[in-house]
Amino acid sequence: MKTLRFIGMTLMAVVFCLNFAACSDDDEEQGQGGPLAGTTWRIATSEEGAGMVGIEITFRSDGTFAMSRDGWAYSKWSLDGDVLTLTVGESGPDDYMEGMVSIDGDDATYTYHWADVEGEWEDNVNYTMTLRKQ
């Protein structure tokens, strides 16, 4: 009887351990941007124009970002795998940049397009910028 109770308690302990591991905070952190959260990057080159070069983008861990030269009151970012989305607007989400980001150490390449959050327009032009971690 004691052996059966011991086996039962052991099984319960294993189940609890597995449940706690499945609810780990690591998954949430990765969903909040993984390698970008809490970092600042400077645009080194941009096909979109020379006005973008030199701008610094700070990716905050709360899902917002700041640019060294911007006029947006609303700025949110998300990273899903290697798809980076930067959503901007005056008082709420208006437009967004979305595309593939490839990070290699302190260098990153971002190939993206611009679109309207309401689906009214999409420029269908892919731009590429390179960034350097600060």
Side-chain angles (χ1 to χ4, degrees):
M1 185 68 150
K2 286 184 181 181
T3 305
L4 203 51
R5 182 180 291 160
F6 177 73
I7 292 172
M9 290 174 56
T10 303
L11 287 174
M12 276 183 66
V14 169
V15 168
F16 284 133
C17 288
L18 291 175
N19 283 335
F20 287 129
C23 296
S24 169
D25 287 341
D26 294 344
D27 297 336
E28 191 172 308
E29 288 174 15
Q30 190 66 10
Q32 293 297 320
L36 290 178
T39 62
T40 299
W41 298 76
R42 179 181 298 225
I43 299 173
T45 64
S46 174
E47 291 178 354
E48 204 170 345
M52 298 280 284
V53 174
I55 293 176
E56 290 186 356
I57 305 170
T58 300
F59 296 92
R60 299 181 186 125
S61 58
D62 67 356
T64 63
F65 70 92
M67 296 181 83
S68 58
R69 288 182 278 171
D70 73 1
W72 298 307
Y74 182 93
S75 56
K76 300 256 182 186
W77 70 277
S78 66
L79 182 64
D80 184 11
D82 56 0
V83 177
L84 175 62
T85 304
L86 303 174
T87 306
V88 297
E90 295 300 321
S91 59
D94 292 326
D95 303 325
Y96 65 93
M97 301 164 62
E98 184 174 76
M100 306 294 272
V101 65
S102 172
I103 301 171
D104 184 18
D106 289 343
D107 297 310
T109 302
Y110 184 37
T111 302
Y112 62 95
H113 68 275
W114 279 96
D116 182 284
V117 296
E118 295 177 4
E120 294 177 13
W121 65 270
E122 186 170 327
D123 68 5
N124 292 319
V125 176
N126 283 327
Y127 301 98
T128 299
M129 69 171 61
T130 59
L131 302 105
R132 181 101 176 123
K133 192 173 187 179
Q134 299 300 293

